[in-house]
Amino acid sequence: MQSIEVDHSWSFREASRADTSYLTHGYHRYPAKFIPQLAARVIRENTDAGDLVCDPFMGSGTTLVEAIVNGRRAYGTDINPVAVMISKAKTAPINPAKLRSEVDSVFDYLQAAKHKENYAQVDYSALGIAAPSRERINYWFSEKQQRDLALILQRIRLVQDQAIQNFLLCSFSNILKGCSIWMLKSVKPTRDWQKKVAPACRSFVLQTEKMTRKNAEFWQVMQGICVGAGAGIKPEPECIVDSRDARHLALRDSSVDLILTSPPYVTSYEYADLHQLTALWLGYTDSLKDFRSKFIGSIQKQDIECKLYSKLAADTVSRLKAKDKKEGSAAERYFSEMQQCFEEMYRVLKLGGRAAIVIGDTDLKKVQIKNAEVFVQTMEKIGFLTRNIIKRPVPSKILPLTRDLRTGRFAKVASSNRLAYPTEYIVMMEKA
Ligand SMILES: C[S@@+](CC[C@H](N)C(=O)[O-])C[C@H]1O[C@@H](n2cnc3c(N)ncnc32)[C@H](O)[C@@H]1O
């Protein structure tokens, strides 16, 4: 695989920030998000209008958005409730007039409340936030920020329309890091006492206004797709956002035309930690430990006995275990759980259907983890045929090159000693 030439046509280097955050793509930040241009190209080249596209690790829903704006049907799932909330918001076009009126009413309420002292105490029980989460909220937010955020959240919870309520929760979630002392750009939860914290109400208004404009564009695009120009008989795109484990998809056997996904990496991002602020405020979990244990790739899990189909995976695990037992076991668990995911993908794909897996190599304890090669070996054992392997450069503006082991921060300096993914692969497999 090392010998595969880099295909620069897949770099999308020319895509500006505005291009990668068009329509609803800019609603919420998310680690290791696809660029929409990549998802759009894979979908257009491998499916027809009306086909079903599935992303079993949907994250912030990039695949789903691109599927539906291209007139395909979409099914996505993620174990992370934060991802589910974001994906629901990003795939639900809302009537702009209805949204405007609801947003104005929320803003009016916040404006009026600022002049009253009726929000001196935060009623966490009324917000459904349990005691352990309150402690964590205290750890990250000042008292004043907590009062303002609670006020916003209380008002959002009163919105009757579920799509609009979810839209506003997505806005609320995206401002939380800026309103806390969370060290931005760190992949490990770290407090930054020097940070200039953003004011909650103002951040919420700005973020909601930005999303409202994007919703109007999205609504317009989806109107064209739903009503259908010309013949007027285009099928209305369906989009299902699920919250299941990728190993148990709610799909019939042989029903999917294309799987397009980027899986988690082993011990790379702890999604549970990175999304803890939203999880705390929205009551998604009371225990970070339980929250982490559901994620594939997390180091915080029980050991399991397993038989790996890929020889390269087994060799990699042995080399890692010799250096560090814990990291070796985490890699073993990761490869085994990914194996189960590939079996599930095989089940749901139609004969001749494709699975496009976007993955980079990485390293742990100076042992190279050739994820792409392991995945190809594993998927071939399951019955897939390798159709194509594309090696694409990852422009540094999207993913920095190295990760500092001490701080966990991504950086572009020589002192950081962990290689992240300067190139990645699109492994294109077919159910034969
Ligand atoms: C690399 S991210 C996907 C990002 C996505 N392509 C996007 O554009 O936002 C991988 C995702 O896998 C999810 N994940 C981890 N374990 C999972 C599991 N057991 N089942 C489903 N999703 C899982 C994580 O929550 C994370 O959102």
Side-chain angles (χ1 to χ4, degrees):
M1 235 179 237
Q2 259 42 17
S3 61
I4 297 174
E5 288 279 309
V6 174
D7 183 341
H8 289 274
S9 75
W10 285 89
S11 82
F12 307 102
R13 207 178 288 277
E14 68 290 349
S16 65
R17 202 174 182 74
D19 294 334
T20 54
S21 61
Y22 87 118
L23 297 180
T24 56
H25 290 297
Y27 273 16
H28 203 290
R29 66 173 82 80
Y30 203 87
K33 207 166 108 130
F34 272 156
I35 47 171
Q37 286 71 15
L38 182 152
R41 181 167 166 192
V42 174
I43 290 168
R44 288 188 199 133
E45 288 184 1
N46 291 282
T47 56
D48 296 316
D51 278 357
L52 179 57
V53 178
C54 163
D55 189 342
F57 299 106
M58 74 185 163
S60 61
T62 315
T63 301
L64 275 59
V65 173
E66 284 306 314
I68 60 174
V69 300
N70 283 286
R72 276 63 167 169
R73 293 172 297 131
Y75 171 91
T77 188
D78 203 289
I79 205 75
N80 182 0
V82 182
V84 174
M85 177 272 294
I86 300 169
S87 295
K88 280 190 176 160
K90 284 172 66 176
T91 54
I94 303 171
N95 179 310
K98 204 169 158 202
L99 180 62
R100 184 74 262 164
S101 138
E102 203 56 82
V103 163
D104 283 346
S105 144
V106 172
F107 287 176
D108 289 348
Y109 173 86
L110 295 179
Q111 186 65 28
K114 269 210 310 203
H115 302 293
K116 295 185 191 151
E117 284 308 309
N118 65 350
Y119 73 111
Q121 285 295 315
V122 180
D123 185 352
Y124 283 108
S125 314
L127 288 168
I129 299 171
S133 298
R134 282 176 223 167
E135 266 176 45
R136 300 292 304 162
I137 288 176
N138 271 328
Y139 181 87
W140 290 112
F141 298 90
S142 70
E143 222 177 284
K144 160 92 174 93
Q145 292 287 52
Q146 289 186 40
R147 280 205 308 270
D148 287 353
L149 288 165
L151 181 80
I152 299 169
L153 186 55
Q154 266 159 15
R155 181 60 187 82
I156 294 175
R157 293 283 190 211
L158 296 178
V159 174
Q160 295 292 313
D161 183 301
Q162 283 309 302
I164 299 181
Q165 183 177 128
N166 195 59
F167 172 93
L168 293 167
L169 288 177
C170 184
S171 170
F172 178 81
S173 166
N174 199 46
I175 66 164
L176 288 175
K177 279 201 176 142
C179 297
S180 71
I181 53 170
W182 184 288
M183 184 182 282
L184 295 173
K185 295 203 172 113
S186 170
V187 292
K188 282 187 184 164
T190 311
R191 289 194 287 187
D192 178 355
W193 295 103
Q194 313 305 323
K195 184 172 157 186
K196 193 166 178 295
V197 174
C201 288
R202 178 148 178 74
S203 304
F204 177 70
V205 168
L206 289 175
Q207 174 67 14
T208 307
E209 283 297 2
K210 184 177 107 182
M211 288 171 58
T212 303
R213 286 192 295 277
K214 286 179 172 292
N215 169 70
E217 291 165 29
F218 182 47
W219 169 265
Q220 200 66 37
V221 169
M222 292 308 290
Q223 284 298 98
I225 287 171
C226 294
V227 177
I233 50 164
K234 279 190 189 171
E236 189 158 321
E238 280 168 36
C239 182
I240 297 173
V241 175
D242 212 340
S243 52
R244 290 164 170 265
D245 190 294
R247 288 163 286 182
H248 307 286
L249 305 174
L251 289 167
R252 279 182 294 110
D253 294 357
S254 310
S255 57
V256 172
D257 296 280
L258 172 71
I259 289 171
L260 167 58
T261 198
S262 56
Y265 287 77
V266 58
T267 76
S268 180
Y269 291 112
E270 287 288 351
Y271 288 95
D273 289 359
L274 293 180
H275 290 134
Q276 61 178 280
L277 302 186
T278 303
L280 292 168
W281 277 102
L282 300 192
Y284 290 150
T285 184
D286 289 335
S287 153
L288 259 181
K289 193 161 173 266
D290 291 351
F291 193 31
R292 284 186 195 118
S293 67
K294 300 194 173 94
F295 289 79
I296 292 177
S298 169
I299 198 157
Q300 317 278 353
K301 294 178 86 168
Q302 297 298 315
D303 285 356
I304 47 162
E305 279 291 312
C306 51
K307 159 120 188 58
L308 297 175
Y309 297 160
S310 154
K311 183 170 175 324
L312 177 58
D315 291 349
T316 310
V317 167
S318 305
R319 265 185 289 136
L320 257 173
K321 277 190 174 169
K323 291 205 166 185
D324 184 316
K325 176 98 178 46
K326 195 172 176 199
E327 297 262 18
S329 300
E332 183 170 34
R333 208 170 40 233
Y334 169 74
F335 287 136
S336 155
E337 291 180 332
M338 284 307 301
Q339 197 165 285
Q340 294 167 346
C341 294
F342 294 134
E343 293 192 285
E344 182 66 346
M345 291 183 200
Y346 192 81
R347 180 186 74 77
V348 300
L349 265 182
K350 286 181 182 167
L351 214 58
R354 301 255 166 117
I357 316 293
V358 182
I359 187 82
D361 292 342
T362 179
D363 65 277
L364 270 180
K365 302 278 162 195
K366 300 208 174 114
V367 173
Q368 227 200 334
I369 317 274
K370 295 181 180 172
N371 289 307
E373 216 166 318
V374 166
F375 288 179
V376 169
Q377 279 186 5
T378 308
M379 293 176 87
E380 284 183 348
K381 275 269 164 35
I382 291 171
F384 284 95
L385 270 185
T386 305
R387 275 284 161 220
N388 192 12
I389 299 174
I390 298 158
K391 191 175 190 176
R392 63 176 293 269
V394 182
S396 57
K397 67 181 173 198
I398 296 171
L399 265 183
L401 292 181
T402 55
R403 190 139 74 93
D404 191 296
L405 280 184
R406 196 175 47 81
T407 63
R409 268 183 163 178
F410 278 127
K412 288 177 196 159
V413 293
S415 65
S416 41
N417 50 2
R418 190 168 183 171
L419 191 72
Y421 339 101
T423 57
E424 65 182 8
Y425 299 92
I426 306 174
V427 174
M428 186 62 78
M429 310 298 286
E430 184 175 309
K431 177 169 172 177

